[in-house]
Amino acid sequence: MSAIAVLGNGRVGGNLAAALIRAGHEVSVADRTPGAAADAARRARIVINATPGAGSLDLLTALREELRDKILVDVSNATVDGPDGLPADLIHPGSSLAEQLQEALPETRVVKTLNTMLFPVMTAPTMLTQAPDVFLSGEDPQAKQTVAELLVDLGWRDEWITDLGGIQTARATEAAILFVPHVIRSSGFTPFAISIAR
């Protein structure tokens, strides 16, 4: 059991928090207000960033002390939204939110994951008709192993989890968000995930 803080109490954060509680973890949920986020992060071993990606860097940089020596699991994508509210472009082209977070928080172990799917799949990957993939990006192997164990608690099988390497690989998975609006416009909000056929 781990002490986990989920920052962000919307659909993504609420879904993750509920599933982690069911798996037996001690979970606190905080909204985006700095005081609530700082308090939750201070008491946790693992912090999950489920806040909207456009504001995540500023919010989390302000929590540098609270996040020191913690694992920060970043599930957000930093995008500019189009008129319909769907992602239209990346805020950090040629980089990624995860890379920006790791640079701003050098004493925090950032792991990027769960950002290549619609949110219901994060905690129920078996809902899909074919096996999905989930990816890990980060500099610290032990932190990635810890996050992989959390993914198993969320219903992911070991063979569906792929460690892509260092934090720079997050720019590839974050760019996958650009598929999302086109798939949604074509097929609606039916749950889906990126899957690598092997």
Side-chain angles (χ1 to χ4, degrees):
M1 184 185 78
S2 295
I4 301 172
V6 178
L7 306 185
N9 58 356
R11 293 179 300 178
V12 174
N15 186 43
L16 287 169
L20 290 166
I21 290 168
R22 286 194 300 272
H25 296 282
E26 179 187 332
V27 180
S28 60
V29 181
D31 60 24
R32 286 177 274 167
T33 58
D39 186 52
R42 189 179 298 113
R43 292 181 281 111
R45 172 177 171 246
I46 299 168
V47 178
I48 298 176
N49 174 39
T51 65
S56 292
L57 185 58
D58 288 342
L59 172 68
L60 295 169
T61 299
L63 302 179
R64 184 178 286 105
E65 290 305 313
E66 290 82 0
L67 292 171
R68 186 186 302 274
D69 299 324
K70 307 287 176 73
I71 296 173
L72 176 62
V73 184
D74 179 33
V75 305
S76 295
N77 291 301
T79 60
V80 178
D81 290 342
D84 57 1
L86 295 175
D89 208 349
L90 301 173
I91 289 178
H92 305 290
S95 182
S96 64
L97 174 59
E99 289 173 86
Q100 297 295 314
L101 288 169
Q102 188 61 85
E103 183 177 354
L105 302 165
E107 295 179 87
T108 301
R109 295 173 289 167
V110 179
V111 179
K112 188 79 179 193
T113 194
L114 288 173
N115 63 311
T116 56
M117 62 202 69
L118 288 191
F119 80 91
V121 182
M122 293 179 175
T123 58
T126 57
M127 70 166 47
L128 300 180
T129 57
Q130 65 189 63
D133 286 276
V134 64
F135 306 99
L136 297 168
S137 299
E139 298 300 322
D140 188 291
Q142 187 175 12
K144 286 190 285 187
Q145 179 58 40
T146 297
V147 175
E149 291 166 6
L150 284 183
L151 292 174
V152 171
D153 287 346
L154 293 175
W156 292 87
R157 297 178 187 168
D158 287 329
E159 61 268 27
W160 299 347
I161 303 170
T162 300
D163 184 346
L164 295 178
I167 201 69
Q168 187 176 358
T169 63
R171 65 181 64 178
T173 60
E174 288 191 26
I177 191 67
L178 298 179
F179 275 105
V180 170
H182 307 300
V183 174
I184 289 173
R185 292 184 191 112
S186 173
S187 307
F189 279 92
T190 304
F192 69 90
I194 300 295
S195 181
I196 306 298
R198 294 180 177 89

